[in-house]
Amino acid sequence: MSVRVDGLDAQIVELLQEDGRMLYKDIADRVGVSLPTVKARIRRLMALGLIKKFTVVVDSDKIAGKVRGVLFAKVNPTDAEALTQSLSKIDEVRAAHFVAGEKQLFLEVEADDVESFNRLILERLPKEAGLSDISAHVITQTVKEEYGVSLKANSFLQYKCNFCHTTIYGKPIVKHYYGGKYYFSGEECAEAYKGILDQKFAEKKKAKADN
């Protein structure tokens, strides 16, 4: 059976997206349910992975010298996991998306100054992430920027297996490995993925011991 959120879930998420600091009591008053119900719903939405985390949105335009831009790039032959790890180590990359088209990757980046922005494009991304044919566009003014998603009642949640990357139909198998949360279509995929993570963890541990 597919996982679905109802109207109450959608209302709670909308309120939290408007103000992540809103008290649960105030949410309960706004949606017309009890405080324990709100707490239980939020715990469930977090367990499902729909609510990833509570955070603060900083207006980067208020920071002098910041340069923001969007990039399109080609990905040299590599696996998605390796690319994800490479990009996660580059703080200037704020978001990365695979897209259809001649250039397979779309990035949102932010640098401290123009020099850092140019170095990111010309040196770091090609060398550290294996990107090529990068086209860059500096953002000169932001006229609209929304965060989160528009969640409607009776929306179905979609999960993709972290190992085989296929869409999971029904309830995913959730595993916690090395501080991360992963979704799988079956126990076989979960075990195979854990084996990959175990090997990577052992290699890192060995490299650290050698140093």
Side-chain angles (χ1 to χ4, degrees):
M1 183 176 293
S2 298
V3 180
R4 186 173 65 179
V5 297
D6 60 18
L8 179 57
D9 292 326
Q11 290 181 69
I12 291 172
V13 170
E14 182 178 1
L15 290 173
L16 287 174
Q17 287 186 137
E18 290 176 3
D19 182 3
R21 298 184 304 169
M22 184 176 289
L23 298 175
Y24 287 4
K25 178 182 179 302
D26 294 336
I27 295 175
D29 291 340
R30 292 279 295 273
V31 300
V33 297
S34 68
L35 178 59
T37 298
V38 169
K39 289 181 177 179
R41 289 299 184 110
I42 292 175
R43 281 197 300 269
R44 173 178 176 269
L45 293 172
M46 293 178 69
L48 290 172
L50 181 63
I51 297 178
K52 295 173 68 175
K53 63 180 179 179
F54 296 90
T55 187
V56 174
V57 177
V58 176
D59 186 354
S60 60
D61 289 339
K62 298 293 188 295
I63 304 175
K66 282 285 185 184
V67 179
R68 299 175 68 201
V70 295
L71 314 178
F72 287 93
K74 289 184 178 179
V75 180
N76 291 335
T78 185
D79 62 84
E81 183 70 23
L83 179 63
T84 299
Q85 289 194 5
S86 298
L87 293 176
S88 67
K89 297 175 183 176
I90 304 175
D91 293 337
E92 289 85 353
V93 176
R94 309 308 297 169
H97 313 273
F98 280 113
V99 294
E102 182 182 355
K103 297 184 178 181
Q104 312 100 314
L105 198 65
F106 171 70
L107 303 175
E108 299 174 42
V109 302
E110 185 177 279
D112 290 333
D113 48 46
V114 173
E115 182 180 352
S116 299
F117 185 81
N118 289 333
R119 187 165 60 251
L120 176 69
I121 298 167
L122 299 175
E123 299 176 16
R124 298 190 61 196
L125 288 173
K127 181 179 179 181
E128 299 175 30
L131 305 188
S132 61
D133 196 10
I134 301 173
S135 58
H137 306 270
V138 174
I139 297 173
T140 58
Q141 183 181 7
T142 300
V143 294
K144 182 178 180 180
E145 190 170 37
E146 296 287 346
Y147 299 94
V149 297
S150 176
L151 184 65
K152 297 181 180 179
N154 297 317
S155 296
F156 287 94
L157 302 187
Q158 177 179 283
Y159 298 87
K160 287 193 175 181
C161 179
N162 279 103
F163 178 71
C164 65
H165 307 296
T166 58
T167 300
I168 300 172
Y169 296 98
K171 212 166 185 180
I173 294 174
V174 183
K175 298 288 186 180
H176 297 267
Y177 300 137
Y178 299 106
K181 187 176 183 179
Y182 304 95
Y183 301 92
F184 302 99
S185 55
E187 289 291 346
E188 296 84 359
C189 285
E191 287 300 317
Y193 195 77
K194 185 177 185 299
I196 294 173
L197 293 180
D198 288 342
Q199 183 178 355
K200 289 181 178 179
F201 181 78
E203 290 172 353
K204 287 182 180 179
K205 190 174 180 180
K206 183 178 183 301
K208 187 179 291 185
D210 292 341
N211 293 333

Short mmCIF file of all heavy atoms in Angstrom, two decimals, residues 9 30 51 67-68 70-71 91 93 96 108 115 118 130 146 156 160 162 166 177 187:
data_model
loop_
_atom_site.label_atom_id
_atom_site.label_comp_id
_atom_site.label_asym_id
_atom_site.label_seq_id
_atom_site.Cartn_x
_atom_site.Cartn_y
_atom_site.Cartn_z
N ASP A 9 -2.19 16.54 7.68
CA ASP A 9 -0.73 16.56 7.45
C ASP A 9 -0.34 17.77 6.61
O ASP A 9 0.64 18.46 6.90
CB ASP A 9 -0.28 15.28 6.73
CG ASP A 9 -0.43 14.04 7.58
OD1 ASP A 9 -0.24 14.14 8.80
OD2 ASP A 9 -0.72 12.97 7.02
N ARG A 30 -4.55 26.24 15.38
CA ARG A 30 -4.82 26.66 14.00
C ARG A 30 -5.54 25.57 13.21
O ARG A 30 -6.41 25.87 12.38
CB ARG A 30 -3.51 27.03 13.31
CG ARG A 30 -2.83 28.29 13.85
CD ARG A 30 -3.45 29.56 13.26
NE ARG A 30 -3.23 29.65 11.84
CZ ARG A 30 -2.15 30.19 11.27
NH1 ARG A 30 -1.18 30.67 12.05
NH2 ARG A 30 -2.03 30.27 9.97
N ILE A 51 9.38 15.46 6.28
CA ILE A 51 10.07 16.56 6.96
C ILE A 51 11.50 16.12 7.19
O ILE A 51 11.76 15.22 7.99
CB ILE A 51 9.39 16.92 8.29
CG1 ILE A 51 7.96 17.42 8.06
CG2 ILE A 51 10.19 17.99 9.03
CD1 ILE A 51 7.20 17.74 9.34
N VAL A 67 28.48 36.03 -3.96
CA VAL A 67 28.15 35.85 -5.37
C VAL A 67 27.37 34.55 -5.51
O VAL A 67 27.85 33.49 -5.13
CB VAL A 67 29.42 35.78 -6.25
CG1 VAL A 67 29.04 35.57 -7.71
CG2 VAL A 67 30.24 37.05 -6.10
N ARG A 68 26.16 34.66 -6.03
CA ARG A 68 25.33 33.48 -6.24
C ARG A 68 25.18 33.23 -7.73
O ARG A 68 25.17 34.16 -8.53
CB ARG A 68 23.95 33.66 -5.61
CG ARG A 68 23.96 33.89 -4.11
CD ARG A 68 22.56 34.19 -3.60
NE ARG A 68 21.69 33.03 -3.71
CZ ARG A 68 20.36 33.11 -3.73
NH1 ARG A 68 19.75 34.27 -3.69
NH2 ARG A 68 19.64 32.01 -3.82
N VAL A 70 23.92 30.04 -10.98
CA VAL A 70 23.42 28.73 -11.38
C VAL A 70 24.32 28.22 -12.49
O VAL A 70 24.79 28.97 -13.33
CB VAL A 70 21.95 28.80 -11.86
CG1 VAL A 70 21.04 29.20 -10.71
CG2 VAL A 70 21.79 29.78 -13.01
N LEU A 71 24.58 26.92 -12.46
CA LEU A 71 25.50 26.31 -13.41
C LEU A 71 24.84 25.11 -14.08
O LEU A 71 24.05 24.41 -13.46
CB LEU A 71 26.78 25.82 -12.72
CG LEU A 71 27.50 26.73 -11.72
CD1 LEU A 71 28.70 25.99 -11.14
CD2 LEU A 71 27.93 28.02 -12.38
N ASP A 91 31.52 23.14 -0.18
CA ASP A 91 30.53 23.95 0.54
C ASP A 91 29.82 24.95 -0.36
O ASP A 91 28.67 25.32 -0.08
CB ASP A 91 31.21 24.69 1.69
CG ASP A 91 31.70 23.75 2.78
OD1 ASP A 91 31.15 22.63 2.88
OD2 ASP A 91 32.62 24.12 3.53
N VAL A 93 28.61 24.57 -3.22
CA VAL A 93 27.47 23.97 -3.93
C VAL A 93 26.30 23.85 -2.96
O VAL A 93 26.35 23.09 -2.00
CB VAL A 93 27.84 22.58 -4.50
CG1 VAL A 93 26.61 21.93 -5.13
CG2 VAL A 93 28.96 22.70 -5.52
N ALA A 96 22.13 20.51 -6.03
CA ALA A 96 22.54 19.85 -7.27
C ALA A 96 21.40 18.96 -7.74
O ALA A 96 20.81 18.22 -6.95
CB ALA A 96 23.81 19.02 -7.03
N GLU A 108 23.15 24.97 -8.00
CA GLU A 108 23.01 26.30 -7.42
C GLU A 108 24.21 26.50 -6.51
O GLU A 108 24.46 25.67 -5.62
CB GLU A 108 21.71 26.40 -6.62
CG GLU A 108 20.45 26.18 -7.46
CD GLU A 108 19.20 26.14 -6.61
OE1 GLU A 108 19.09 26.97 -5.68
OE2 GLU A 108 18.35 25.26 -6.84
N GLU A 115 36.39 36.08 -7.23
CA GLU A 115 37.57 35.23 -7.40
C GLU A 115 37.27 33.78 -7.00
O GLU A 115 37.63 32.84 -7.70
CB GLU A 115 38.73 35.77 -6.56
CG GLU A 115 40.01 34.96 -6.72
CD GLU A 115 41.15 35.52 -5.87
OE1 GLU A 115 40.99 36.61 -5.29
OE2 GLU A 115 42.20 34.84 -5.79
N ASN A 118 34.98 32.16 -9.66
CA ASN A 118 35.71 31.73 -10.85
C ASN A 118 36.56 30.49 -10.58
O ASN A 118 36.64 29.59 -11.42
CB ASN A 118 36.60 32.87 -11.35
CG ASN A 118 35.80 34.00 -11.96
OD1 ASN A 118 34.70 33.79 -12.46
ND2 ASN A 118 36.33 35.21 -11.91
N GLY A 130 34.73 16.15 -11.24
CA GLY A 130 34.76 15.60 -12.59
C GLY A 130 33.78 16.22 -13.55
O GLY A 130 33.34 15.58 -14.51
N GLU A 146 10.90 30.78 -3.24
CA GLU A 146 10.07 30.06 -2.29
C GLU A 146 10.83 28.83 -1.80
O GLU A 146 11.61 28.22 -2.53
CB GLU A 146 8.76 29.61 -2.94
CG GLU A 146 7.86 30.76 -3.39
CD GLU A 146 7.19 31.47 -2.23
OE1 GLU A 146 7.21 30.91 -1.12
OE2 GLU A 146 6.66 32.57 -2.44
N PHE A 156 0.40 11.34 -2.50
CA PHE A 156 1.15 10.12 -2.24
C PHE A 156 2.63 10.42 -2.15
O PHE A 156 3.15 11.24 -2.92
CB PHE A 156 0.90 9.09 -3.36
CG PHE A 156 -0.47 8.47 -3.31
CD1 PHE A 156 -1.51 9.00 -4.07
CD2 PHE A 156 -0.72 7.37 -2.50
CE1 PHE A 156 -2.77 8.44 -4.02
CE2 PHE A 156 -1.98 6.81 -2.45
CZ PHE A 156 -3.00 7.35 -3.21
N LYS A 160 12.55 6.30 -3.68
CA LYS A 160 13.40 5.55 -4.60
C LYS A 160 14.42 4.77 -3.78
O LYS A 160 14.95 5.27 -2.79
CB LYS A 160 14.09 6.48 -5.59
CG LYS A 160 13.14 7.03 -6.65
CD LYS A 160 13.87 7.68 -7.79
CE LYS A 160 12.90 8.11 -8.88
NZ LYS A 160 13.60 8.75 -10.02
N ASN A 162 17.66 3.40 -2.44
CA ASN A 162 19.02 3.96 -2.41
C ASN A 162 20.04 3.06 -3.09
O ASN A 162 21.12 3.52 -3.47
CB ASN A 162 19.46 4.20 -0.96
CG ASN A 162 18.92 5.50 -0.41
OD1 ASN A 162 17.98 5.50 0.37
ND2 ASN A 162 19.49 6.62 -0.81
N THR A 166 15.32 2.36 -8.19
CA THR A 166 13.99 2.22 -8.79
C THR A 166 12.94 2.78 -7.84
O THR A 166 13.15 2.86 -6.62
CB THR A 166 13.67 0.73 -9.06
OG1 THR A 166 13.75 0.00 -7.82
CG2 THR A 166 14.64 0.15 -10.06
N TYR A 177 22.07 3.58 8.72
CA TYR A 177 23.46 3.13 8.64
C TYR A 177 24.41 4.30 8.82
O TYR A 177 24.29 5.31 8.11
CB TYR A 177 23.76 2.46 7.30
CG TYR A 177 22.93 1.24 6.96
CD1 TYR A 177 22.40 1.07 5.68
CD2 TYR A 177 22.68 0.27 7.91
CE1 TYR A 177 21.67 -0.06 5.36
CE2 TYR A 177 21.94 -0.86 7.60
CZ TYR A 177 21.43 -1.01 6.32
OH TYR A 177 20.69 -2.13 6.02
N GLU A 187 14.85 -6.24 1.31
CA GLU A 187 15.97 -6.53 2.22
C GLU A 187 17.26 -6.82 1.46
O GLU A 187 18.35 -6.53 1.94
CB GLU A 187 15.62 -7.72 3.12
CG GLU A 187 14.57 -7.44 4.18
CD GLU A 187 15.07 -6.49 5.27
OE1 GLU A 187 16.29 -6.27 5.35
OE2 GLU A 187 14.22 -5.99 6.03
#
